[in-house]
Amino acid sequence: MAKKKKFPLAYQPVGFVLGWAGGAVAGKAFRAVWKAVRHEDDAPDALDADRRWGEILLAAAVQGAIFAVVRSAVDRAGAKAIERTTGVWPTKDPNGRD
């Protein structure tokens, strides 16, 4: 498995803001998808006593997939924006090697 890449200190505030915004977008996307798929306003969480295992695990899998896709898209878009602005890829090495 590939080691997670870390952005340099100068990129971290930008990454934090983008991550926060991406999380908000992912949360809204998940709620919209859940409502479209299950016709419910609220997705179950692990402690919903009235929900079955399948519902809870389905909600968790869908939510995880959406968050992973949004996070990757936000990280990539942020890195590309930094590269366009500064001419430098925001990792130590353009190929992701430290």
Side-chain angles (χ1 to χ4, degrees):
M1 180 177 263
K3 184 177 142 182
K4 184 176 177 183
K5 297 176 188 117
K6 291 190 177 186
F7 292 116
L9 187 59
Y11 179 75
Q12 288 180 354
V14 174
F16 175 77
V17 170
L18 290 174
W20 181 83
V25 169
K28 286 184 182 222
F30 170 66
R31 285 187 292 280
V33 167
W34 189 258
K35 189 169 186 171
V37 170
R38 298 291 298 209
H39 308 291
E40 298 173 350
D41 288 331
D42 296 321
D45 75 19
L47 300 179
D48 280 347
D50 298 329
R51 302 293 188 119
R52 296 186 326 262
W53 275 93
E55 292 176 284
I56 291 168
L57 297 180
L58 174 64
V62 170
Q63 185 177 33
I66 289 171
F67 272 82
V69 167
V70 169
R71 180 174 178 182
S72 293
V74 167
D75 283 349
R76 185 66 178 196
K80 293 297 276 182
I82 293 293
E83 181 184 42
R84 273 193 311 276
T85 303
T86 66
V88 177
W89 191 254
T91 57
K92 293 177 185 173
D93 178 64
N95 296 317
R97 294 183 296 262
D98 291 323

